[in-house]
Amino acid sequence: MILDIFTHSCPLILAATGALFSELSGLLALFLDGLISFAAFLCFLFTTKTSSVTLGFILSTLICTFLVFILSFIIKKTKANPFIASIAMNLLFSSLVSLFSNMFFNTRGVLFDSNFVFVPKTLNFPTISITTVLVIGSLLFLNFTQKGTYFKIVGSNPDVLTARGINVSNYEIAAWCIAAFFGAMAGCFLPLRISSFVPNISSGRGWMALAIVFFGRKKILRITFAVIIFCGTDYFSTHIQNYIPDIPSSFILSLPYLLIILLMALDKKRN
């Protein structure tokens, strides 16, 4: 059960870690939710076409990161409003899922394929291992490297970096690319767990990741802890009716969100 909870938490932990980089840069990655679904679709597409989940995983992540790099570069060069542009990117990624799904599979619905069948238990170790390495790497990078310190300064005091001759725009673009990389990784894990692709598979994880960044006070360990609590409660709520069938389903569905609201209220009161 514990392994299942950790595995269930990994996509949201990755998405929230990526969102943290964007928040530190001062340009919140509002495109994450759409990108997660797009990455999930690409992972399904490339895996079924190449019969290699590793290749599907790599290609999906690289394409998503590259697209965000190109778009963020254009946004910076044209001096477009990053908030509006990020929302537009979110809509773009969601639309591309529908377009490509109809183009390659002649349907905009649920996708299945014999080359895309996995045993959930076998995914626990690689999912947890990859997430752990990326989270620890991000923690060390932000807290113990010079460039990590620059990321922390970009969003709050960009003039300090400019005065030292450092190009702030490069860090802002890099932050969005990192958010895209982590978001794409999160998206790739989602269809593997259910051996299929479902439209809107992100289920709001991109938006939850953005909210958890603030709940975790922009600290990776606090963010990870918050995600595990949320996903643990979600896991518990999906199984509790097996033991207590009389509990209303509406209450069960809202239980994880109620817990997060309660923890936020207690945390605010304590401080």
Side-chain angles (χ1 to χ4, degrees), residues 204-262:
R205 284 180 177 83
W207 303 113
M208 284 189 283
L210 299 174
I212 287 173
V213 167
F214 296 99
F215 176 63
R217 295 185 182 178
K218 305 178 186 180
K219 304 292 184 181
I220 289 182
L221 292 180
R222 284 179 62 96
I223 289 170
T224 302
F225 180 68
V227 172
I228 292 174
I229 290 178
F230 176 85
C231 292
T233 307
D234 185 47
Y235 181 88
F236 172 75
S237 66
T238 58
H239 291 80
I240 191 174
Q241 274 195 321
N242 295 330
Y243 306 98
I244 311 176
D246 294 332
I247 296 181
S249 59
S250 57
F251 174 76
I252 291 175
L253 292 173
S254 64
L255 189 59
Y257 304 95
L258 291 174
L259 178 62
I260 289 295
I261 292 173
L262 176 62

Side-chain angles (χ1 to χ4, degrees), residues 2-192:
I2 294 177
L3 279 178
D4 290 337
I5 291 174
F6 280 125
T7 304
H8 184 58
S9 304
C10 285
L12 188 53
I13 290 174
L14 289 172
T17 303
L20 172 63
F21 277 89
S22 70
E23 167 56 24
L24 291 175
S25 74
L27 299 175
L28 203 57
L30 301 176
F31 55 80
L32 267 178
D33 200 64
L35 181 131
I36 290 173
S37 291
F38 183 55
F41 172 78
L42 289 181
C43 183
F44 179 89
L45 172 65
F46 289 125
T47 300
T48 55
K49 299 301 182 182
T50 64
S51 299
S52 171
V53 66
T54 302
L55 195 56
F57 203 100
I58 293 173
L59 288 174
S60 175
T61 304
L62 290 178
I63 288 173
C64 288
T65 305
F66 180 71
L67 281 176
V68 169
F69 169 73
I70 294 297
L71 292 171
S72 59
F73 182 79
I74 293 173
I75 290 167
K76 276 297 173 184
K77 286 297 181 181
T78 58
K79 298 182 180 180
N81 185 307
F83 176 82
I84 297 175
S86 187
I87 292 291
M89 288 167 63
N90 185 66
L91 297 174
L92 171 65
F93 289 128
S94 299
S95 301
L96 288 177
V97 172
S98 180
L99 173 65
F100 290 148
S101 181
N102 187 62
M103 182 184 300
F104 289 103
F105 301 103
N106 297 316
T107 179
R108 291 185 173 89
V110 179
L111 302 176
F112 300 94
D113 194 276
S114 58
N115 291 328
F116 203 86
V117 178
F118 307 95
V119 179
K121 294 293 183 182
T122 63
L123 299 173
N124 288 347
F125 179 74
T127 301
I128 294 173
S129 298
I130 292 172
T131 302
T132 301
V133 169
L134 290 175
V135 169
I136 292 176
S138 299
L139 179 66
L140 295 176
F141 174 76
L142 288 174
N143 293 324
F144 299 102
T145 68
Q146 186 181 58
K147 292 188 182 298
T149 302
Y150 289 165
F151 266 105
K152 292 181 178 181
I153 299 175
V154 168
S156 55
N157 295 293
D159 293 338
V160 174
L161 298 181
T162 302
R164 298 188 61 176
I166 297 171
N167 192 326
V168 173
S169 295
N170 289 343
Y171 278 87
E172 293 173 340
I173 292 174
W176 268 17
C177 290
I178 293 171
F181 176 79
F182 277 83
M185 295 278 282
C188 288
F189 284 132
L190 296 179
L192 298 180

